[in-house]
Amino acid sequence: RLQGTLEPGQQFPSEGGREHKGRRYQYIEGEVRNRFQKDGYFTLQAHPQDDTPCSKLGLVVDHDSWICRDSSLDLESSVVMVAYVDECSHDLGKQPLCRVGLPGTHDSCTYKFDADKGNSPDSAEILGVLPDMILSQIFERLCQCQSLSTKEQLERGIRYLDLRVGYHPESDSFATCHGVFCVDVKEVLQELAEFLEANPKEVVIVEFKKLYGMDEQQNQALVQIIDEALGAKMANFFECPPTAPLNDFWEKGYQAVVLYQNFDFVKESNGKLWSLGCLDSPWPEAGDHNELYSKLTEKVSQLPESKLFCAQGILTPDAELIKRSILTGGGLSIRQIAKRCNGKVVDWLEEEWKPNRKVNIVIVDFFQDSNLIPAVINYNRHNDD
């Protein structure tokens, strides 16, 4: 919401503005790519066309009801994370992978619901017992954590994908899941492979965090699908561990770090699959911002020296509360919760983690409702100083 008035005859400057999708953006001060949304109060000063005194327009930014859309990057082109940072520094390649800032998404591939497959094996822990006929009605409110495809996420700058995968016996296929089956794994991996092929200096971390309904035979089939899609682009842990600099990954053509839950298959892969133990990704299990801040601050201060680290900038939704909201016509949803949280996570990254160089991967729900991407880019610039 906006509060405040301008005196008659006074206006914001019109020169230097920019059109995008029918709206005009005006940058008032500062370098655009360093701008982030904030909670609290700030002031913009109006510039009258004549010599009358300037008045002031006070703005209130409240993440519960207003989101500042990111206009800091070129919205007409894809964001190539590494190349974008290279505009300001040639030293990123010297940084170990576990110290490079990487923006990521939580439950990355839950951007659509596969109605033909219905409930997934993890449904009981997410939804409880619900009939298939109403799943589509609650998917967007309780199961969906992202709204952009794998391709769109990568093109906008996401470099960590969090995958929960379930086996669907009737179709003998694998799909991402979060209470319901979402996206076929082959589709996810194909879009990833195509992106990596088109951007040879990009490195993406893919975590197969949870595997549902899979025995040894299904694990073998899934690993084969991963290997066929990514092949030689999969980083070998024994050649390029988390402490290896990006230069080593680039020189060897390694672009995909694949973490896999089943340790038996990790051992059999001879380094092509990484153990989940290579990534410290503590679940904050926080219900409000203060609790999330406290838990993330504690974990970030204990950043491991030789592992990847993921700061989960997410609040844990009360599933029963959301279901009651749905049944009573309320508007509560995971996206609404994320809108209250994401801006704060960006603030912590910019104000606390960046100055102390204390972060690696940062993930949120519905990342496009925040300025996470430019925040991480600026973190990498600062890290190179």
Side-chain angles (χ1 to χ4, degrees):
R1 54 189 181 270
L2 303 180
Q3 296 181 349
T5 58
L6 285 173
E7 293 294 329
Q10 296 181 333
Q11 63 182 15
F12 288 117
S14 59
E15 62 273 14
R18 163 180 187 179
E19 291 281 343
H20 177 67
K21 294 185 177 179
R23 292 188 176 184
R24 187 168 186 80
Y25 292 84
Q26 177 64 47
Y27 305 137
I28 306 299
E29 62 179 356
E31 185 183 5
V32 176
R33 59 181 56 162
N34 288 329
R35 294 177 67 87
F36 302 96
Q37 68 261 44
K38 303 285 183 182
D39 275 333
Y41 296 86
F42 61 93
T43 299
L44 296 179
Q45 185 166 328
H47 296 266
Q49 292 180 322
D50 53 28
D51 293 329
T52 57
C54 293
S55 63
K56 292 186 176 181
L57 171 65
L59 298 175
V60 178
V61 180
D62 179 356
H63 291 302
D64 288 350
S65 57
W66 186 72
I67 290 295
C68 176
R69 294 288 180 181
D70 171 30
S71 296
S72 62
L73 301 177
D74 182 359
L75 296 177
E76 301 304 322
S77 63
S78 302
V79 177
V80 181
M81 187 74 177
V82 172
Y84 195 78
V85 176
D86 277 349
E87 291 179 7
C88 296
S89 173
H90 62 277
D91 292 331
L92 185 66
K94 299 177 182 178
Q95 296 289 337
L97 183 62
C98 61
R99 289 297 177 269
V100 175
L102 298 170
T105 46
H106 170 247
D107 270 311
S108 302
C109 298
T110 55
Y111 47 84
K112 64 181 179 181
F113 166 46
D114 190 333
D116 292 334
K117 291 185 172 69
N119 279 297
S120 57
D122 65 330
S123 179
E125 64 184 71
I126 305 295
L127 303 175
V129 180
L130 291 173
D132 285 359
M133 61 180 293
I134 67 169
L135 286 180
S136 60
Q137 300 177 37
I138 68 169
F139 166 69
E140 292 184 1
R141 302 275 293 279
L142 188 56
C143 304
Q144 186 178 21
C145 296
Q146 307 298 330
S147 60
L148 299 182
S149 68
T150 308
K151 178 178 182 289
E152 291 170 323
Q153 291 183 43
L154 295 169
E155 288 180 343
R156 294 201 181 193
I158 293 302
R159 295 295 175 267
Y160 164 87
L161 299 175
D162 165 30
L163 305 183
R164 323 310 173 84
V165 175
Y167 175 65
H168 186 254
E170 289 78 8
S171 63
D172 190 27
S173 63
F174 303 92
T176 60
C177 58
H178 188 222
V180 297
F181 282 107
C182 298
V183 186
D184 192 289
V185 166
K186 290 183 178 180
E187 177 182 328
V188 173
L189 293 173
Q190 179 181 350
E191 293 186 5
L192 171 60
E194 290 174 353
F195 174 82
L196 296 177
E197 186 66 27
N199 300 276
K201 291 191 73 175
E202 295 296 347
V203 177
V204 178
I205 297 173
V206 187
E207 183 179 15
F208 286 82
K209 192 164 195 165
K210 291 187 178 181
L211 305 173
Y212 297 99
M214 295 170 53
D215 59 19
E216 182 177 355
Q217 181 179 352
Q218 279 82 53
N219 271 280
Q220 187 172 9
L222 178 57
V223 168
Q224 183 176 347
I225 291 171
I226 297 170
D227 188 63
E228 289 176 354
L230 302 176
K233 296 185 184 299
M234 295 169 64
N236 190 298
F237 173 82
F238 299 113
E239 297 178 14
C240 285
T243 53
L246 274 179
N247 281 333
D248 288 2
F249 287 83
W250 293 338
E251 290 172 3
K252 297 179 182 296
Y254 291 155
Q255 294 182 262
V257 173
V258 181
L259 296 103
Y260 197 76
Q261 184 189 29
N262 190 306
F263 188 65
D264 290 335
F265 282 86
V266 170
K267 289 188 294 184
E268 291 180 10
S269 73
N270 296 317
K272 293 187 73 173
L273 297 176
W274 294 29
S275 165
L276 298 192
C278 298
L279 171 64
D280 188 7
S281 182
W283 178 32
E285 199 172 2
D288 60 57
H289 306 135
N290 293 331
E291 184 182 8
L292 179 64
Y293 173 77
S294 176
K295 290 185 175 181
L296 284 182
T297 299
E298 178 184 0
K299 296 301 182 182
V300 168
S301 67
Q302 302 169 359
L303 199 69
E305 293 295 327
S306 58
K307 290 184 177 182
L308 301 168
F309 175 80
C310 179
Q312 297 195 30
I314 55 174
L315 294 175
T316 302
D318 185 329
E320 291 303 317
L321 182 61
I322 293 178
K323 282 191 282 188
R324 286 198 299 272
S325 176
I326 294 170
L327 294 174
T328 58
L332 190 61
S333 67
I334 290 178
R335 186 159 199 168
Q336 186 185 70
I337 293 170
K339 285 184 177 181
R340 298 173 182 174
C341 176
N342 289 359
K344 296 179 185 295
V345 174
V346 170
D347 290 348
W348 302 335
L349 170 60
E350 173 67 9
E351 297 173 357
E352 301 188 29
W353 304 341
K354 185 179 78 175
N356 297 316
R357 307 188 184 202
K358 285 285 187 179
V359 80
N360 182 203
I361 303 165
V362 182
I363 66 172
V364 295
D365 290 326
F366 295 99
F367 77 99
Q368 72 273 27
D369 289 340
S370 74
N371 283 341
L372 178 65
I373 304 297
V376 175
I377 288 173
N378 281 323
Y379 172 85
N380 283 326
R381 286 197 178 104
H382 179 85
N383 207 25
D384 270 352
D385 292 343

